Amino acid sequence: MEDIKQMKKESKAVTRSEQSIYQLVRSRKDLYKEVLPDPDAASRFVQASLTAIKMSPKLQQCSPDSILKALMESARYGLEPNSSLSEAALVPYGEKVEFLIQYRGLLKFAWNSGLVTSIDFDKICENDKWEYSKGDNAKFSHTPSFDDRGKVLAYYASANIKGGGTVRTVMSLGEIQAHGKQFSKSYTASASPWQTDFDAMAIK
């Protein structure tokens, strides 16, 4: 009987917590309007934020301050959190929330800058054909295999810049894993994009 009473008490506490964070997010609509690149997107941003929280029980267990801080970062960048656009993610770890910009969010920034004419990215696998060298006679080519591509060796991204020139970054699988562990607090969290969609985070 005592166990049942405790379960009901905890359930009511979670419900009150959910209502509280929903109310806080709604009350900040005018604040989001001030920081969003597009003020007219405030209502859509609030709805996307509420949906993100509602769809994640782990987010609901995080501290309201941590959630609101992550949402403010998302608003400043003009990216919808945890949406089908995959522009940004709110990743719970314990009672904290980490805000992560995903690679589609970075693509949005690049195209909006007006500085690039084309962008290309992919992973390099052991059965692909590729060549990469740096220096005065730098070379890069990559032909993906249409059969079994094999194990992943590296990832790359390149962009052609308006007015001429190409910017390219190539990183090995090990380098990317080390980068994620060093710079992402939620790297090992089960809800982290590093665990649910590693390719997307590696391309980022």
Side-chain angles (χ1 to χ4, degrees), residues 44 48 51-52 79-89 102:
R44 179 183 174 90
T51 300
L79 303 176
E80 291 186 11
N82 295 25
S83 74
S84 58
L85 298 175
S86 297
E87 295 178 343
Q102 296 176 282

Side-chain angles (χ1 to χ4, degrees), residues 21 59-68 94-97:
I21 189 60
L59 267 181
Q60 296 166 20
Q61 296 171 12
C62 295
S63 71
D65 285 346
S66 183
I67 295 174
L68 293 175
E95 293 186 354
K96 301 292 185 180
V97 180

Side-chain angles (χ1 to χ4, degrees), residues 5 10-11 41 48 75 79 85-86 113 116 137 142 166 172 182 203:
K5 289 181 179 180
E10 291 177 354
S11 177
L79 303 176
L85 298 175
S86 297
S113 73
V116 300
N137 297 310
H142 175 225
T166 300
S172 70
Q182 180 178 356
I203 289 169

Side-chain angles (χ1 to χ4, degrees), residues 8-24:
K8 288 182 177 180
K9 183 178 179 181
E10 291 177 354
S11 177
K12 289 180 181 179
V14 170
T15 300
R16 285 196 297 269
S17 176
E18 289 178 17
Q19 291 175 342
S20 176
I21 189 60
Y22 293 157
Q23 291 167 355
L24 285 170

Side-chain angles (χ1 to χ4, degrees), residues 170-189:
V170 181
M171 295 178 69
S172 70
L173 175 61
E175 289 175 325
I176 288 174
Q177 290 172 327
H179 179 89
K181 291 175 183 177
Q182 180 178 356
F183 294 103
S184 176
K185 297 177 182 178
S186 63
Y187 180 86
T188 58

Side-chain angles (χ1 to χ4, degrees), residues 109-153:
F109 295 156
W111 288 121
N112 289 346
S113 73
L115 298 177
V116 300
T117 59
S118 66
I119 299 174
D120 186 30
F121 51 86
D122 200 351
K123 56 187 176 183
I124 300 174
C125 301
E126 60 183 352
N127 294 334
D128 296 345
K129 294 181 180 179
W130 59 282
E131 181 180 6
Y132 175 54
S133 63
K134 301 177 68 174
D136 294 336
N137 297 310
K139 294 181 180 179
F140 181 82
S141 64
H142 175 225
T143 304
S145 171
F146 284 101
D147 297 317
D148 178 18
R149 296 181 66 182
K151 295 181 180 179
V152 177
L153 303 177

